[in-house]
């Protein structure tokens, strides 16, 4: 017997993940998903962060199946190329297998900075990447691959949505094909039903708006207040394109390549790199962007369409008996592939607390504030990436003056320059961003700041050596990493294995 009827509007990554999670988490729920083949899905959004691995595991969806069905590959971090304008790159890795002692970690980083060594050199993922290795080893007993350390996935978004749909339908989620034309409220202003083109009426107790950029419920129906991030993140156009490859020399990373007026993502999946130039259209148009891409990649660029977007999010995503998940809740440029992650965090915190059962303005306000702050910290972190030394175009020359940092980010940068990483201790804990300050660990800020040459080593000259890590601990850690790297299978072999390609 079903107690509660949930309706999900939209069948992109956000919609199918929402439907599957709701069905699994809410007792006696019946989930219906409405989507339109005529409208289709966005199809972009092919990079993730490690949180997706936990969600797939929660949903009992094997990673190997996801990789096969979605032409996916593994992601150990992001390689940022040419963000200082000197053709060098830096790396933002995911996690470490040995993080049990935070003083130990900090000591290592202090030591690296003091000795002018890039902090990324400590990361296992970075070393795997340099050796073109995956983070998987073959278990000799079970003959199965097991993962080591933090990682995430790349995938073909259309294939992933199709795969999630197959699983969802097998698990009893009902899919209805059709275009939502009307949304009707009841006398308390909750959504009562939606009407499809042709007149079909779908009733529900709770509605998830996963309608992508159409933003049917939160935006068009309830007209929620939009918070724009355009003042700090002006990029407003994405020009997606593919570059084919022969399934060899696949890097286990997303590449984020700084260009003259923005940046390009380059994501390896089977047979192709999914790429896109995200740029500021106040400087260049689509033709200029294509020209720059062709010069850079030395291949003809075909792009069927571009996406226009405004960086920002809705202030309230939970309104009455509806919640926006996915692009319908907002969008910040995909530089750190945060969208699916943040939306799933919002979804889980909603469901964990049974908020669909609650009609209380104070709780609603608190929840919406926390979700908004999550977006806010993402905005700060993404903004940080633009404070490197690149200055070869009017876009880069103007950027830092035209889009100056918030007080929070300004202080973070300023403190790093003056007192090193000690800003991590307690100074910021009472700031307004405290709610979300744990979203990106210190290591993430550190990797980007170090990559952008923002961290001053002077403060560490005064640290006594015993505060730094003893040599034998260093040694033990590096031996551990070296042995692990040796055991890991090469990324090419791993891709061939998951894609079932013969040698
Ligand atoms: C250029 C770009 C790059 C991105 N890169 C990343 C990334 O690397 N990592 C990441 O995490 N996120 C990324 N994102 C965000 C990512 O696309 C989303 O997080 C998510 O994967 C897909 O969005 P969605 O499911 O919300 O919307 P969509 O995929 O657009 O799905 C919307 C659904 O709503 C349905 N729909 C809309 N209107 C109606 C209607 N009237 N009636 C019925 N159905 C309707 C559509 O048919 C579709 O099924 C990127 C976004 C863009 C624009």
């Amino acid at each position: 017997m079903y107690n509660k009827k949930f309706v999900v509007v939209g069948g992109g990554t956000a919609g199918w993940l929402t439907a599957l999670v709701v069905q699994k988490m809410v007792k006696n729920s019946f989930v219906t998903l409405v989507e339109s083949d005529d409208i289709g899905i966005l199809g972009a959004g092919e990079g993730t962060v490690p949180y997706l691995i936990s969600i797939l595991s929660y949903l009992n969806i094997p990673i190997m199946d996801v990789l096969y069905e979605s032409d996916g590959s593994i992601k150990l971090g992001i390689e940022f190329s040419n963000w200082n304008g000197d053709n060098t790159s830096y790396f933002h890795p995911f996690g470490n297998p040995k993080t049990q002692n935070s003083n130990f970690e900090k000591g290592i980083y202090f030591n690296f900075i003091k000795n002018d060594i890039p902090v990324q050199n400590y990361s296992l993922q970075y070393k795997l990447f340099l050796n073109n290795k995956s983070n998987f080893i073959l278990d000799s007993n079970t003959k199965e691959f097991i993962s080591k350390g933090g990682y995430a996935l790349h995938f073909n978004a259309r294939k992933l949505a199709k795969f999630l749909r197959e699983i969802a339908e097998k698990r009893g989620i009902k899919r209805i094909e059709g275009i939502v034309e009307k949304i009707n409220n009841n006398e308390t202003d909750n959504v009562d039903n939606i009407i499809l083109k042709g007149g079909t009426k779908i009733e529900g107790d709770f509605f998830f708006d996963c309608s992508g950029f159409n933003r049917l419920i939160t935006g068009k129906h309830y007209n929620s207040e939009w918070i724009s991030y355009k003042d700090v993140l002006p990029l407003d156009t994405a020009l997606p394109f593919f570059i084919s490859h022969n399934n060899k020399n696949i890097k286990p990373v997303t590449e984020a390549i700084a260009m003259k007026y923005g940046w390009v993502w380059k994501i390896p999946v089977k047979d192709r790199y999914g790429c896109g130039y995200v740029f500021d259209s106040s400087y260049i148009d689509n033709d200029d962007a294509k020209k720059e891409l062709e010069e850079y990649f030395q291949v003809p660029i075909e792009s069927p369409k571009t996406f226009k977007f405004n960086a920002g999010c809705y202030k309230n995503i939970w309104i009455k008996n509806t919640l926006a998940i996915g692009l319908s809740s907002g969008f910040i440029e995909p530089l750190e592939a945060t969208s699916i992650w943040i939306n799933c965090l919002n979804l889980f915190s909603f469901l964990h607390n049974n908020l669909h059962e609650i009609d209380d303005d104070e709780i609603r306000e608190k929840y919406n504030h926390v979700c908004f702050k999550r977006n806010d910290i993402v905005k700060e972190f993404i903004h940080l990436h633009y404070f490197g030394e690149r200055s070869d175009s009017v876009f880069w020359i103007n950027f830092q003056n035209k889009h100056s940092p918030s007080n929070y980010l300004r202080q973070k940068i300023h403190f790093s320059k003056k007192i090193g990483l000690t800003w991590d201790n307690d100074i910021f804990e009472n700031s307004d961003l405290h709610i979300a300050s744990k979203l990106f660990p210190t290591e993430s800020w550190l990797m980007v700041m170090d990559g952008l040459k923002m961290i001053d080593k002077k403060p560490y000259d005064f640290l006594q050596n015993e505060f730094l890590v003893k040599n034998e601990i260093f040694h033990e850690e590096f031996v551990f990493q070296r042995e692990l790297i040796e055991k890991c299978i090469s990324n090419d072999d791993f891709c061939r294995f998951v894609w079932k390609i013969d040698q």
Side-chain angles (χ1 to χ4, degrees):
M1 185 57 204
Y2 299 115
N3 289 335
K4 194 140 192 161
K5 281 188 282 181
F6 291 91
V7 177
V8 177
V9 178
T13 315
W16 286 114
L17 279 176
T18 298
L20 283 158
V21 171
V22 171
Q23 188 206 39
K24 169 119 195 217
M25 203 177 280
V26 185
K27 217 158 102 183
N28 298 331
S29 54
F30 185 78
V31 184
T32 303
L33 184 145
V34 187
E35 67 169 330
S36 157
D37 281 342
D38 287 344
I39 295 174
I41 68 167
L42 181 87
E46 307 198 320
T48 57
V49 301
Y51 191 67
L52 183 70
I53 304 289
S54 324
I55 295 170
L56 293 170
S57 149
Y58 173 73
L59 291 172
N60 294 322
I61 303 178
I63 301 297
M64 294 298 177
D65 292 358
V66 175
L67 288 169
Y68 174 66
E69 296 288 346
S70 71
D71 293 348
S73 69
I74 55 157
K75 173 178 174 185
L76 301 177
I78 305 173
E79 183 190 21
F80 288 91
S81 299
N82 212 13
W83 288 75
N84 286 311
D86 56 2
N87 289 319
T88 59
S89 62
Y90 72 92
F91 193 66
H92 177 192
F94 294 136
N96 248 299
K98 253 193 158 184
T99 50
Q100 72 277 37
N101 182 337
S102 61
N103 285 331
F104 165 69
E105 297 286 333
K106 251 183 203 152
I108 289 242
Y109 293 132
F110 289 161
N111 213 332
F112 273 57
I113 296 166
K114 187 174 166 156
N115 292 301
D116 241 348
I117 304 169
V119 289
Q120 66 195 17
N121 289 17
Y122 170 52
S123 152
L124 171 72
Q125 280 75 8
Y126 179 62
K127 291 176 199 162
L128 285 166
F129 157 62
L130 288 183
N131 287 283
N132 246 320
K133 290 264 182 145
S134 73
N135 64 322
F136 277 78
I137 61 175
L138 191 63
D139 184 310
S140 52
N141 295 323
T142 62
K143 301 280 175 251
E144 287 188 354
F145 279 109
I146 44 175
S147 64
K148 295 285 169 187
Y151 75 109
L153 304 181
H154 302 120
F155 47 74
N156 173 322
R158 288 184 194 284
K159 291 196 173 182
L160 182 72
K162 184 169 165 278
F163 179 52
L164 293 177
R165 172 182 163 182
E166 279 164 24
I167 294 173
E169 288 189 303
K170 273 189 206 142
R171 292 183 184 180
I173 291 166
K174 183 175 174 193
R175 175 189 183 272
I176 297 179
E177 164 68 34
I179 295 184
V180 176
E181 275 199 333
K182 197 156 184 273
I183 296 163
N184 293 315
N185 285 0
N186 62 20
E187 63 289 349
T188 56
D189 268 352
N190 283 282
V191 172
D192 186 70
N193 61 68
I194 55 178
I195 309 286
L196 305 187
K197 194 173 172 183
T200 307
K201 183 199 241 185
I202 301 170
E203 291 175 322
D205 301 308
F206 196 91
F207 292 78
F208 289 95
D209 182 357
C210 301
S211 61
F213 280 134
N214 275 359
R215 297 177 174 154
L216 290 180
I217 301 178
T218 315
K220 293 192 178 117
H221 184 64
Y222 281 121
N223 206 11
S224 177
E225 185 185 341
W226 178 258
I227 309 292
S228 172
Y229 293 147
K230 205 170 167 46
D231 55 335
V232 290
L233 297 176
L235 274 53
D236 60 1
T237 309
L239 188 152
F241 58 97
F242 297 144
I243 297 179
S244 58
H245 63 65
N246 60 0
N247 296 321
K248 293 204 172 100
N249 302 317
I250 309 286
K251 291 185 183 183
V253 298
T254 296
E255 288 176 69
I257 305 159
M259 303 293 284
K260 283 195 176 141
Y261 303 94
W263 60 278
V264 162
W265 78 79
K266 189 173 168 207
I267 290 180
V269 292
K270 188 177 159 199
D271 299 328
R272 67 156 166 87
Y273 293 103
C275 309
Y277 187 1
V278 189
F279 59 87
D280 181 342
S281 68
S282 62
Y283 292 103
I284 51 166
D285 62 19
N286 294 353
D287 290 340
D288 299 328
K290 256 192 195 169
K291 228 183 270 164
E292 192 190 344
L293 288 170
E294 285 178 346
E295 260 168 44
Y296 185 88
F297 289 102
Q298 295 289 309
V299 290
I301 301 292
E302 296 292 328
S303 180
K305 60 175 176 184
T306 50
F307 304 113
K308 295 298 276 184
F309 60 86
N310 288 314
C313 63
Y314 287 111
K315 189 171 171 200
N316 298 318
I317 58 168
W318 174 21
I319 303 170
K320 295 288 178 179
N321 63 338
T322 72
L323 177 68
I325 296 291
L327 292 169
S328 55
S329 69
F331 179 59
I332 299 174
E333 61 181 82
L335 187 53
E336 286 274 354
T338 47
S339 175
I340 296 170
W341 169 43
I342 296 299
N343 279 289
C344 286
L345 279 179
N346 292 348
L347 178 65
F348 272 91
S349 48
F350 191 79
L351 297 174
H352 273 149
N353 294 297
N354 292 313
L355 297 185
H356 46 88
E357 290 293 328
I358 287 167
D359 185 9
D360 179 291
D361 285 344
E362 210 177 332
I363 295 175
R364 201 174 262 127
E365 195 180 320
K366 184 75 184 166
Y367 172 84
N368 281 325
H369 184 64
V370 170
C371 295
F372 171 64
K373 284 296 167 193
R374 286 187 180 131
N375 274 314
D376 231 33
I377 197 82
V378 170
K379 179 253 297 177
E380 299 292 357
F381 187 55
I382 301 295
H383 196 199
L384 170 72
H385 293 64
Y386 289 91
F387 287 81
E389 297 178 345
R390 189 158 179 164
S391 61
D392 61 326
S393 68
V394 59
F395 168 80
W396 288 103
I397 292 166
N398 288 348
F399 192 96
Q400 294 180 17
N401 286 332
K402 238 175 127 180
H403 310 288
S404 49
S406 68
N407 206 30
Y408 172 80
L409 184 58
R410 188 196 56 73
Q411 277 191 344
K412 240 179 166 160
I413 295 172
H414 178 65
F415 284 22
S416 305
K417 288 188 174 154
K418 294 282 173 192
I419 56 173
L421 267 190
T422 36
W423 50 253
D424 183 46
N425 293 348
D426 44 19
I427 298 170
F428 281 86
E429 291 304 300
N430 294 324
S431 76
D432 186 38
L433 285 162
H434 176 65
I435 298 168
S437 66
K438 297 289 171 245
L439 220 51
F440 295 99
T442 306
E443 279 82 356
S444 292
W445 291 91
L446 172 59
M447 296 295 165
V448 177
M449 286 180 154
D450 194 38
L452 296 174
K453 306 182 184 179
M454 280 180 191
I455 309 235
D456 196 337
K457 78 184 187 77
K458 267 199 287 320
Y460 300 98
D461 286 343
F462 298 99
L463 280 179
Q464 294 285 8
N465 274 345
E466 63 261 29
F467 192 73
L468 304 172
V469 177
K470 292 200 179 72
N471 273 342
E472 56 275 23
I473 302 180
F474 249 135
H475 184 70
E476 188 193 308
E477 175 65 11
F478 287 134
V479 169
F480 170 83
Q481 288 190 351
R482 202 173 47 228
E483 287 173 359
L484 192 57
I485 292 166
E486 259 165 39
K487 286 187 209 149
C488 288
I489 179 174
S490 82
N491 195 43
D492 274 9
D493 286 346
F494 186 68
C495 287
R496 272 197 287 276
F497 171 79
V498 293
W499 295 337
K500 303 183 184 170
I501 295 178
D502 293 334
Q503 298 297 319

